[in-house]
Amino acid sequence: MSSMKRTSIRVLCCVIAAIFLVGSGFVLGQRMSADQKAEEEKPDWEVYPAWDKVTMRDKVNSNARLTFTGIDFDVPVSGQDYSQDHILFRLENISDRYEINVGDVFRIDKQYEGEWYTIYYEPFSRLISISYKPGANVESKVKVPTGLIARKGLYRVYLKDLGYCEMDVMFDLQGQS
């Protein structure tokens, strides 16, 4: 076989191998994109730790005002090998006469098709309650699992017997938390 034929065969083999590698990479990339897309398209009730329709009317203290101020993502937990997200809000006692008491029982709800669903809750109190005098204005937070608020939609924090603060996540945050 002449050296030109051997060179042509080598070049042809390299071209075929390159086409195969590029093609398989494209297929794998499409497969990963399809898997990622399938995860993103999962219905909400398959994604969250809880999915319970809110059916009871919650007690709200008319002297308290809660205002969403932000989310700190991936906050390390001291002495642990995992992190949490912190939902930040401002708590105001708008009364000029009465103290308000704030406990540590809360839940996170998400609105879906016009209804509220609880997606996470902290049902057990550590018997922590703080009283705030009239006019108090403090920054506070609740700690939730990392990625809980990663999908776009309307969410709210409910502090038991105190009230709500809503947060509108305008776009998916997956991969950013």
Side-chain angles (χ1 to χ4, degrees):
M1 193 179 276
S2 73
S3 80
M4 190 159 168
K5 282 186 178 181
R6 277 183 273 181
T7 304
S8 295
I9 291 173
R10 286 182 189 151
V11 168
L12 183 60
C13 287
C14 287
V15 168
I16 291 172
I19 290 172
F20 175 76
L21 289 173
V22 168
S24 62
F26 178 74
V27 169
L28 285 174
Q30 292 288 37
R31 178 68 185 153
M32 286 189 291
S33 294
D35 289 345
Q36 184 179 11
K37 187 174 182 178
E39 181 65 27
E40 290 171 1
E41 291 179 354
K42 275 186 179 178
D44 284 347
W45 56 88
E46 289 184 14
V47 175
Y48 298 106
W51 188 259
D52 302 313
K53 188 173 181 178
V54 177
T55 56
M56 294 178 36
R57 192 166 191 82
D58 295 307
K59 184 177 176 184
V60 174
N61 185 330
S62 62
N63 293 318
R65 182 179 356 194
L66 301 169
T67 307
F68 172 69
T69 58
I71 301 175
D72 283 341
F73 294 103
D74 264 341
V75 178
V77 176
S78 179
Q80 302 295 325
D81 61 351
Y82 63 92
S83 60
Q84 298 174 317
D85 291 345
H86 293 176
I87 299 173
L88 312 172
F89 56 92
R90 179 178 302 108
L91 169 63
E92 297 173 80
N93 181 346
I94 57 176
S95 170
D96 58 0
R97 299 168 123 194
Y98 304 106
E99 288 188 354
I100 58 173
N101 294 310
V102 180
D104 60 350
V105 176
F106 72 92
R107 72 168 195 259
I108 308 297
D109 300 333
K110 183 174 185 194
Q111 193 175 68
Y112 180 78
E113 295 183 350
E115 302 285 342
W116 288 102
Y117 292 83
T118 297
I119 60 171
Y120 181 79
Y121 56 94
E122 188 66 49
F124 303 109
S125 174
R126 294 180 301 271
L127 300 175
I128 296 172
S129 182
I130 301 172
S131 292
Y132 292 103
K133 295 183 187 263
N137 185 340
V138 296
E139 297 294 322
S140 193
K141 66 185 169 202
V142 294
K143 300 173 185 179
V144 299
T146 299
L148 184 72
I149 311 293
R151 289 182 144 204
K152 67 181 171 183
L154 186 60
Y155 296 84
R156 67 183 181 186
V157 175
Y158 173 68
L159 295 178
K160 186 176 183 204
D161 298 331
L162 198 66
Y164 300 98
C165 109
E166 290 186 359
M167 54 202 141
D168 195 0
V169 176
M170 304 297 280
F171 51 91
D172 286 338
L173 304 171
Q174 287 142 334
Q176 296 181 26
S177 59

